Amino acid sequence: MKKMLLSLAITAALAGCGGGETLEDVKNDTPPVIPSATVKFDPANGVISVPNDLLMSGTKDGTINIPGELSANGASVPRSAYANPSLALGALDGWSSQVPYKVDLTFPANVSLDESSAGAPGAVRIFEVVMGASLTDADCAAVPAGAGCKLLGELTFGVDFITKASGNAVAIIPLKPFKAGSSYINVLTTELKDSLGRSIQPSSTYGLVKQEAPLVTESQLALQGVVNSYENVLISGGTITKDEIIYSAAMTIQSVGPVLGTIKKLLAASLQNPALPKPQVQIPEQDMLTVAEVLLSDPDITNVSPAFNGVQYQRGSVTLAMYLSQPEGKEISKLADTYWQGMCSSPVAVLNQQAADQALRDAGKEDEIDPTMFGIGPYEQLCQGLSEGKLHDYPKIDITRHLTKYNPLPKMQSLQEVPVQITKPILPVINAIRTQTGMPALEMPAGGWPVVIMQHGITSKKEHMLALTASLAIQGFATVAIDHPVHGERGIDVDDDG
């Protein structure tokens, strides 16, 4: 009966069109429906724009999970594989602080992105947030990792970042570096339009998981929980509504301070603790030499400023801790397998192993637990002492030992005697030059000359910094410089050409 009534209703509706119109007439008069442009987002099928913290879900050690980083059986790839740029991100605990990025969109035929909307304020908004499992915010420490927790503020378009159309994508260009170790949520809004003036729509996946009603599968529920946590944090500030959001993605910026901060603490401790190696420059007795003489010893240099005759050149050495290991050969794989590594096991990896063991216990499979996984390694005492008891050395856990904010203690590979280049003003010559230019004469301060530490760039060497020493000597500065690892005198002769 219901089907009959429906059929009658449709017939009556068509008959009521008037003018003797047929069904074919109605079809011809109906404008074609053009599908909507959408944001590309389908994580289950690998469709995801980066940066995106979804790639840190299930991380084994607190680093990004890059596709291809794990072998077919789930084991980590060899350490040397991280020399491959496509996998290098997998060694980091976050994304770049300043590299531009984009969010991909998909368009139906004959439709494109409205470039003016893509470059206007409001189409893309970026919010600074605190994520779950925070190491610095007690309120968010107990919130699950990967979930949004607390809104801190919003970045300003035109001051902190700008956006522009980039083919079938909207590009986001930072004008200031994002804060290291901080988290942000990128948001695309209904202000982003297509060439027909219509708002870009969420992908079917995003539209599904942003709903409040619980979904069915475990993966759907997990993604729904994450997306809803993002949007709930965003709307808590009262400046945006859920209806305006067509896409949101969290990104945590790589931390760069913890590891270097740890090294600085170790260096500072070496000044008081004689058990720790103390870097101290040794300058042996040597003949007087000027920077002018050093520069002219290069056959490619035929003339230098007389000012370089007023700069004394000396050579010394300093014993430094090396965190790069020496390559065991000259093959690319051997040269690549020298990156810094942690002394201790990542606490993220330790927690994962503990959770896996507990799952076996809960399933009544205690006989499958490997008791040797928590065997103590040779750095246990140092790990415990230098981390206030937070870190351990379990050799079977966290084989790659990537350095992160969770695991900031680098492993010293060796002590290396490093050549040091030193320059100092030669007062009679320098004062003669200062007198000629109307400057008063200099005297060496009671505590010695103030020192400028010179650092060369990639592919360069410390000797290239000598070009700046005359100007600095005239102003009363000494300089010191060393070669960076695998540069200059510390280089590796890969092809044996000297």
Side-chain angles (χ1 to χ4, degrees), residues 190-310:
T190 50
E191 294 296 313
L192 191 64
K193 311 287 187 181
D194 66 16
S195 54
L196 300 179
R198 305 175 304 172
S199 293
I200 306 294
Q201 296 297 306
S203 71
S204 58
T205 298
Y206 191 89
L208 180 67
V209 298
K210 75 175 286 174
Q211 299 176 15
E212 296 290 344
L215 300 177
V216 179
T217 69
E218 187 175 334
S219 59
Q220 287 176 338
L221 286 168
L223 186 57
Q224 183 180 39
V226 168
V227 168
N228 277 321
S229 76
Y230 295 168
E231 294 198 352
N232 290 336
V233 166
L234 296 172
I235 66 173
S236 68
T239 63
I240 192 169
T241 66
K242 285 198 173 190
D243 289 341
E244 296 175 84
I245 300 171
I246 62 172
Y247 172 81
S248 62
M251 62 176 187
T252 297
I253 306 304
Q254 179 190 2
S255 61
V256 295
V259 176
L260 296 180
T262 298
I263 293 174
K264 287 167 69 174
K265 289 178 182 177
L266 292 174
L267 287 171
S270 72
L271 299 177
Q272 284 84 32
N273 187 346
L276 295 173
K278 178 183 177 182
Q280 189 167 356
V281 177
Q282 304 292 333
I283 307 174
E285 294 246 347
Q286 53 199 283
D287 294 336
M288 176 69 177
L289 196 62
T290 67
V291 169
E293 293 174 295
V294 175
L295 292 174
L296 290 172
S297 66
D298 185 335
D300 294 328
I301 298 176
T302 58
N303 189 33
V304 297
S305 166
F308 288 102
N309 290 312

Side-chain angles (χ1 to χ4, degrees), residues 366-384:
E366 292 193 24
D367 57 324
E368 296 182 20
I369 296 176
D370 182 355
T372 67
M373 292 299 293
F374 287 92
I376 297 299
Y379 300 103
E380 174 69 8
Q381 187 174 353
L382 277 173
C383 288
Q384 284 279 283

Side-chain angles (χ1 to χ4, degrees), residues 59-120:
T59 177
K60 292 181 177 295
D61 58 358
T63 60
I64 301 169
N65 290 330
I66 294 298
E69 191 178 354
L70 299 180
S71 61
N73 63 3
S76 299
V77 295
R79 287 172 46 82
S80 58
Y82 288 96
N84 182 338
S86 66
L87 293 182
L89 280 175
L92 306 180
D93 63 3
W95 305 92
S96 171
S97 63
Q98 57 190 13
V99 173
Y101 52 97
K102 63 182 182 177
V103 179
D104 293 315
L105 312 169
T106 182
F107 295 90
N110 302 318
V111 179
S112 59
L113 177 60
D114 174 17
E115 294 190 5
S116 61
S117 74

Side-chain angles (χ1 to χ4, degrees), residues 4 28 147 183 200 230 253 269 300 336 341 350 364 408 421 425 427 462:
M4 183 182 294
N28 291 335
S183 295
I200 306 294
Y230 295 168
I253 306 304
D300 294 328
Q341 58 182 296
V350 173
Q421 168 183 290
L427 272 179
K462 64 182 182 299

